[in-house]
Amino acid sequence: MPKRRRLTMRQLRQLLRLNADGISVRDIATMLGIARSTVQDNIERATAAGLSWPLPAELTDDVLEHRLFSRQGVKQGIRRRTEPDWGRLAVELKKPGVTLSILWEEYRAVHPDGYAYSRFCDLFRGFERRLTPTMRQVHVAGDKVFVDYSGKKLPIVDRKTGEIREAEIFLGVLGASSYTFAEATWSQTLPDWIGSHVRMFRFFGGVPRLIVPDNLKSGVNRASFYDPEINRSFGMMASHYGVGVLPARPKRPKDKAKVESGVRFAQSCILGRLRNQTFFSLDEANAAIREAVERINTHVMRRLDQCRRDLFETMERPALAALPAEEYEFAEWRLARVSTDYHVEFERYFYSVPHSLIRQQVDVRATSRTIEIFFKGKRVAAHQRRYGGARFGTEPDHMPSSHRRYAEWSPERFRRWARSIGPQTEGLVIAILASRPHPEQGFRTCLGVLKLYQAIDTAQAEAVSARALEIGGLNCKSISALIKSHKASRHTAEPAAVGEHANLRGPGYFH
């Protein structure tokens, strides 16, 4: 390896010319602004190489450099000192707490006559530059996973209709080992985005310290170098796994070079290799993708002489944090304001909260099965999620006392009240409820009728109910009129009924 020279070829040629003109070493050093020892060293090298001024016209700068600075007796490409296994050191450097200084000390402990620290670092950096681009950045084991979607999609055919639907390809690449996860999903929407992360962590069997996503809307609401705004549902998933989110800077692809390399892999190893296969379901596509991922993870990388799986098992897996006891269940978070009827809306269905929270802003957490409502971090209500049936889900405990009494009304309860008076009154209540589009709309009429009947005896109530059924008087106004008419009819009939019970239906109007 040539010794590091301090002069350009132009300066060397000028030095040799001045020396041939008989200029002293001191004067040459002054004229060129270099040390006398440098002048003397280069003159000795020229003499040893058999060079004198004027130099041959065909002597190029490369040939001149080789003649002056190549070591005699040392074969080019063979170093004089024992070198370490640079590939192994590149792997060791990814482990937490390992530095080049530590690696150099371990190297010198085995080879006391080995390279000095500065030369050791130069050789290692040179080795790094010869690696593939995905290995240029130094990533600590267990530190980061880079995630993104491939720009190109995978076609899937509907077996029944023949319609072609394109699936997205999600990729996750661990920083230190380049261990790769990939899967196909139907979309980049929030449920698929978060679900892919859950399955990725399950595939890794652990959790890194940070997720580095692109500024996808499903993960990042507002991209910013200084203060990126993370989507709340995505942030809750990250909190469940105890992992941080560090979005890549906008328009800075080098921030996520790992996953960009993974995207290229997806387009060649997945899309390229699978281009002649036809898939009829997402499961079929993912089975083929798993085989492709297995192939790339077990492929031995040049220069490192190890595959991604070996690096992952020996170096990265021990550095990952443990998975939580339960997998994250996807939940969508939204802000909502409690309306005056103490309900909040989610997907056109309404769920009650305590009536004291009217007009307050609350957080709604929606899973596929439940709707939970939080106020200032405290859960205040939980409901089974509705996909059909009644649009309102109301808990009695959430109501004001007056509303609660109303909520306790039911057709059966009114029938029981009417039955306690008599069969005619029960028939009247049934008729009133049946005459409304919804039974609840007849509750107030039934209450009004029962209130009117409190002022008369049972026999009168039964007579009024019978007459109301006969003429179709199914409202409070008609019942009130019938009661007044019945009272007047009884009053005139009483002298003729001395010693006998009056006929409740009576002569006249009630006949």
Side-chain angles (χ1 to χ4, degrees), residues 306-321:
Q306 296 187 67
C307 66
R308 289 171 171 84
R309 170 162 290 173
D310 291 339
L311 292 174
F312 172 74
E313 295 292 346
T314 59
M315 173 186 63
E316 191 117 46
R317 185 192 288 275
L320 296 176

Side-chain angles (χ1 to χ4, degrees), residues 313-358:
E313 295 292 346
T314 59
M315 173 186 63
E316 191 117 46
R317 185 192 288 275
L320 296 176
L323 290 170
E326 295 182 359
E327 283 191 349
Y328 179 76
E329 180 184 14
F330 170 74
E332 186 174 356
W333 288 82
R334 292 186 186 176
L335 287 174
R337 190 168 296 279
V338 181
S339 64
T340 54
D341 64 355
Y342 50 87
H343 285 71
V344 296
E345 180 190 2
F346 187 87
E347 301 291 346
R348 293 183 295 178
Y349 286 88
F350 300 86
Y351 304 89
S352 67
V353 299
H355 66 88
S356 59
L357 297 178
I358 288 175

Side-chain angles (χ1 to χ4, degrees), residues 29-291:
T30 301
M31 294 171 67
L32 296 181
I34 57 178
R36 283 180 293 170
S37 59
T38 301
V39 175
Q40 189 64 44
D41 175 69
N42 283 282
I43 291 174
E44 291 173 357
R45 285 177 178 273
T47 302
L51 297 175
S52 61
W53 191 262
L55 296 174
E58 66 276 8
L59 191 67
T60 64
D61 286 351
D62 288 340
V63 175
L64 177 60
E65 181 180 15
H66 179 75
R67 299 254 325 248
L68 289 177
F69 297 104
S70 62
R71 297 188 181 92
Q72 298 298 321
V74 178
K75 185 178 179 180
Q76 293 300 308
I78 303 297
R79 299 196 175 101
R80 293 182 300 170
R81 303 181 190 276
T82 304
E83 293 189 47
D85 181 349
W86 298 113
R88 185 186 67 82
L89 294 189
V91 173
E92 290 293 316
L93 190 61
K94 298 175 182 297
K95 296 182 178 179
V98 178
T99 63
L100 274 177
S101 177
I102 293 175
L103 295 176
W104 175 75
E105 290 174 2
E106 294 174 350
Y107 160 72
R108 286 299 292 263
V110 178
H111 304 287
D113 59 343
Y115 291 107
Y117 179 67
S118 60
R119 182 62 177 154
F120 176 88
C121 292
D122 288 341
L123 293 175
F124 180 77
R125 298 305 180 197
F127 172 80
E128 278 193 317
R129 285 192 293 272
R130 296 195 299 275
L131 293 177
T132 58
T134 58
M135 296 296 294
R136 287 180 181 170
Q137 297 182 18
V138 177
H139 299 289
V140 177
D143 187 48
K144 295 175 183 175
V145 61
F146 299 82
V147 295
D148 200 0
Y149 283 100
S150 169
K152 298 183 179 180
K153 301 179 182 181
L154 188 67
I156 298 178
V157 180
D158 188 305
R159 194 183 297 272
K160 295 182 179 179
T161 65
E163 180 184 358
I164 297 177
R165 184 178 178 186
E166 293 187 322
E168 304 283 350
I169 298 178
F170 172 89
L171 290 137
V173 182
L174 286 170
S177 63
S178 293
Y179 196 57
T180 301
F181 168 81
E183 72 168 11
T185 60
W186 285 125
S187 69
Q188 297 186 18
T189 57
L190 196 59
D192 282 336
W193 169 252
I194 291 180
S196 291
H197 282 78
V198 172
R199 291 183 286 273
M200 177 184 68
F201 293 143
R202 184 198 309 157
F203 176 79
F204 292 153
V207 183
R209 189 175 67 90
L210 291 171
I211 301 172
V212 182
D214 198 359
N215 288 285
L216 181 74
K217 282 297 182 184
S218 293
V220 182
N221 288 341
R222 182 174 61 86
S224 169
F225 174 76
Y226 298 103
D227 189 21
E229 181 182 330
I230 306 301
N231 177 282
R232 183 168 185 185
S233 297
F234 184 48
M236 294 301 292
M237 182 278 297
S239 177
H240 177 81
Y241 285 99
V243 60
V245 179
L246 183 66
R249 293 175 296 173
K251 300 180 181 179
R252 294 293 188 275
K254 291 184 179 180
D255 286 2
K256 49 185 177 66
K258 281 283 181 182
V259 78
E260 292 294 339
S261 176
V263 167
R264 290 193 295 273
F265 147 70
Q267 294 174 351
S268 60
C269 192
I270 295 179
L271 296 174
R273 293 179 184 273
L274 305 182
R275 70 187 186 280
N276 295 323
Q277 296 188 36
T278 302
F279 302 107
F280 296 99
S281 71
L282 204 61
D283 290 339
E284 287 184 18
N286 276 321
I289 289 173
R290 281 192 292 271
E291 293 179 4

Side-chain angles (χ1 to χ4, degrees), residues 452-468:
L452 290 171
Y453 281 5
Q454 289 176 359
I456 61 177
D457 58 35
T458 302
Q460 285 180 291
E462 281 288 275
V464 170
S465 297
R467 183 59 177 168

